[in-house]
Amino acid sequence: MTGGGRFSLAGRKALVTGANSGIGRAIALGLAESGADLVVHHLGDDEGALDTCRRTEALGRSAHAVEADFTVSGAAVLLAGTVLEEHGNIDILIANAAIERRSQWSALSESDIEAHVTANFSSLLLLARTLLPPMIERGWGRVVAIGSVLAARPRAETVVYASLKSAQLTAIRALARDVGAKGVNMNVVSPGAIETERNSERYADPAFRRAVEAKIPIGRAGRPDDCVGPVLLLCSDAGAYITGANIPVDGGWSIGDAPGNAGVTA
Ligand SMILES: NC(=O)C1=CN([C@@H]2O[C@H](COP(=O)(O)OP(=O)(O)OC[C@H]3O[C@@H](n4cnc5c(N)ncnc54)[C@H](O)[C@@H]3O)[C@@H](O)[C@H]2O)C=CC1
Ligand SMILES: O=C(O)C(=O)C[C@H](O)C(=O)CO
């Protein structure tokens, strides 16, 4: 099945980071359903990456798995170079992979801060530095970074993670401004509470689930699949006039949030 018309991604090739699980896997498969070929990035999950590749091939698209640890300095540059060399130009970059280590600010270690900065912020800029020029040359490209509603909801135990989601948004908007006239659109999709591998233990606690659901106007936690449609819009010609945007996918959770609202405990 391929999404047709203005949502079609036929003939496009996408690199999706963290495409072995959760939101990244759902987005990767959505892109493939709409006609894109894939480069499936993962870290330490051969089985998950192969599963995404097999499911992509079952949709009639090609898929190749690549591995990189973005907490390691130089890994993003190496990956981008290898991808261009071995898999050809990338039309669509989905920067989805991220680490989230929660701890009180008073317990933060320098190495933890550095790991977050390298994986969640530097890797986006370094992937973009290599992958954007060929997009600009061909006059068409899309970058979607996966943000978080936490960027606008600062809380002490996610101070590094949330700050970097804010920084990522600013970076995307800065670059979007520069490449907009060259056919390259760059946006952020910001999920709210989405049930995935990273938080399955928290959601196993019924009290946690109830607390989260009570704050969401749509009344349920999100599913990875909820993030797919907005990304397809931004990656296709249907989204040709959208750049530098930040689209929340949070069941309405952020409606009425004041900047700096720290009252959400889920
Ligand atoms: N699940 C949620 O409620 C929310 C998730 N997000 C964002 O969505 C994105 C995906 O998260 P989920 O699907 O929930 O989590 P997940 O844990 O299923 O996926 C994270 C992916 O990142 C990759 N990854 C982890 N450490 C890495 C490293 N050091 N180097 C390279 N890749 C690494 C893994 O391959 C994994 O597939 C992340 O950017 C996260 O910040 C944002 C808001 C809410
Ligand atoms: O991981 C993020 O980023 C989040 O936004 C997490 C959720 O909002 C959350 O903490 C509730 O499950």
Side-chain angles (χ1 to χ4, degrees), residues 11 18 34 87 97 115 117 126 148 153 170 189 208 213 220 260:
S34 294
H87 305 294
V117 172
L126 294 168
S148 168
R153 192 177 281 148
T170 301
V189 165
F208 175 83
E213 288 175 353
R220 64 166 174 84

Side-chain angles (χ1 to χ4, degrees), residues 17-27 41-45 67-72 75 79 95-102 115 118-120 123 145-151 161 165 168 189-200 202-203 222 224 227 249 253:
T17 67
N20 55 296
S21 65
I23 294 169
R25 176 176 52 206
I27 290 171
H41 161 269
H42 73 104
L43 174 64
D45 184 13
E67 185 169 14
D69 181 348
F70 292 147
T71 62
V72 175
L79 178 78
N96 162 77
I99 62 168
E100 182 187 0
R101 299 178 192 161
R102 293 183 177 217
T118 309
N120 295 8
S123 70
I146 304 305
S148 168
V149 293
L150 294 186
Y161 172 85
K165 290 292 188 185
Q168 175 184 259
V189 165
S190 289
I194 311 288
E195 210 174 332
T196 64
E197 285 82 343
R198 82 167 47 210
N199 53 32
S200 54
R202 276 186 285 155
Y203 280 95
C227 301
V249 181
W253 194 9

Side-chain angles (χ1 to χ4, degrees), residues 145 147-149 151-152 169 173 187-191 234 242-248:
S148 168
V149 293
L169 174 59
R173 287 161 63 83
N187 293 287
V188 173
V189 165
S190 289
L234 296 172
I242 307 174
T243 198
N246 179 22
I247 301 184

